[in-house]
Amino acid sequence: MKFAIPFVLAVATAAASLPAAAQFAKPEDAVKYRQSALFIMSQHFGRIGAMVNGRVPYDAAAAVQNAEIVAEMSKLPWAGFGPGTDKVTPTRAKPEVWTEQAKFKEHNEKLVGETAKLLAAAKTNSLDNLKVAFGSTANTCKGCHDVYRKD
Ligand code: ASC
C-alpha cells in the first residue's frame, strides 16, 4: 500500500491531537501502533544518519522530507503505552514504562522537542547543522532506550 506523504502527515497530525488514551479497539492494536510508529521513525531517521555519516550523498530536500516524517512519527508512539498495554507480548518495553510514567513522559517530550529541532536544522540546508541535530536526537533515542528498553 502506498500513501502520499501529505496524507500520512495529515493522519499523523490528527491522531497526535486526540487524547492519548482509549483510542484502540484492543491493547494488541495499541502495541502494534506504537511499534509501527517507532519503526517508521527509525527508518527515516536512519536515512538521515546515512547522509550524516557519509554513506549516501547529502541531499538537503531528502533530509527535510525524512525529518518531517521523523518529527511527526515522534508524536505518536506514546499513546500506545496506555493502561493494559504492559501485558501484551512480545515487547522490548520494560515495566518501568508503566511504573515511572511521569519520567517516561519527560523522555517522550524531550524526543518530540529534539525531532522538531532536527527538522529545523534540516531546513537550514546545512549538513553541519544536520549533523549536530542528528547527534543530539540519537542521544535522546538512546537515553530513553537505556532506561526503558530491554536491549
Ligand atoms: C536509530 C534507531 C534508533 C536510534 C538509536 C540512536 O536509527 O533505530 O533506535 O537511531 O540507535 O541511538
Side-chain angles (χ1 to χ4, degrees), residues 17-103:
S17 65
L18 292 168
Q23 296 167 43
F24 301 102
K26 49 187 193 295
E28 288 76 9
D29 287 354
V31 174
K32 195 169 171 184
Y33 177 91
R34 77 186 190 222
Q35 291 174 347
S36 301
L38 289 162
F39 177 71
I40 298 290
M41 180 161 59
S42 85
Q43 290 290 300
H44 291 276
F45 190 59
R47 291 176 198 177
I48 297 173
M51 287 185 225
V52 161
N53 295 316
R55 291 197 303 278
V56 305
Y58 173 55
D59 175 336
V64 171
Q65 285 176 349
N66 284 308
E68 279 172 345
I69 295 169
V70 170
E72 286 304 320
M73 287 302 121
S74 74
K75 299 172 189 171
L76 302 186
W78 325 117
F81 289 95
T85 62
D86 55 333
K87 305 284 184 284
V88 180
T89 54
T91 182
R92 287 188 286 170
K94 285 188 184 168
E96 284 79 1
V97 167
W98 292 272
T99 58
E100 299 175 0
Q101 286 185 13
K103 271 164 85 182

Side-chain angles (χ1 to χ4, degrees), residues 42 45 138 141-142 145:
S42 85
F45 190 59
C141 298
K142 186 174 185 308
H145 292 162

